[in-house]
Amino acid sequence: VSAPDGPSAHSLVQGGQTFTLLVTDVLMPGGMNGQQLATAVRDVLPSIKVVFTSGFPAQSFADKNLLLDSVMIPKPFVGTDLVRALTSLTDES
């Protein structure tokens, strides 16, 4: 399932859809960034795993307190990068 922006994605969850994984860009249009989206989604789905993506260098977000139980992968990424991220999240559980 995809959404064009954070508020749209949040509406899906508020509407009752359940998910086990959220993949979100750190910076997004629509007035809600990825961290805000992940926090809002976790209010409804506390056990959701979160993968953040960004085209900016990872150190750009070093001072941001991204959520625990989340990982960040740089863009562009390939399927194996996503698999590694998901593996690291499930290994933490």
Side-chain angles (χ1 to χ4, degrees):
V1 175
S2 65
D5 55 36
S8 299
H10 187 230
S11 292
L12 293 171
V13 173
Q14 286 180 311
Q17 286 197 322
T18 60
F19 301 93
T20 57
L21 173 67
L22 171 65
V23 178
T24 182
D25 203 321
V26 174
L27 302 175
M28 299 184 301
M32 179 181 268
N33 67 38
Q35 185 172 6
Q36 292 166 328
L37 171 62
T39 300
V41 168
R42 279 217 178 137
D43 286 344
V44 179
L45 303 170
S47 63
I48 196 165
K49 302 292 185 182
V50 180
V51 175
F52 290 104
T53 66
S54 179
F56 292 97
Q59 64 266 25
S60 300
F61 303 103
D63 64 337
K64 307 287 187 247
N65 293 319
L66 297 179
L67 298 174
L68 294 175
D69 301 323
S70 68
V71 295
M72 172 163 322
I73 55 177
K75 290 192 295 185
F77 61 88
V78 294
T80 54
D81 297 327
L82 185 57
V83 169
R84 253 190 311 276
L86 296 175
T87 300
S88 74
L89 283 173
T90 55
D91 287 348
E92 291 175 5
S93 298

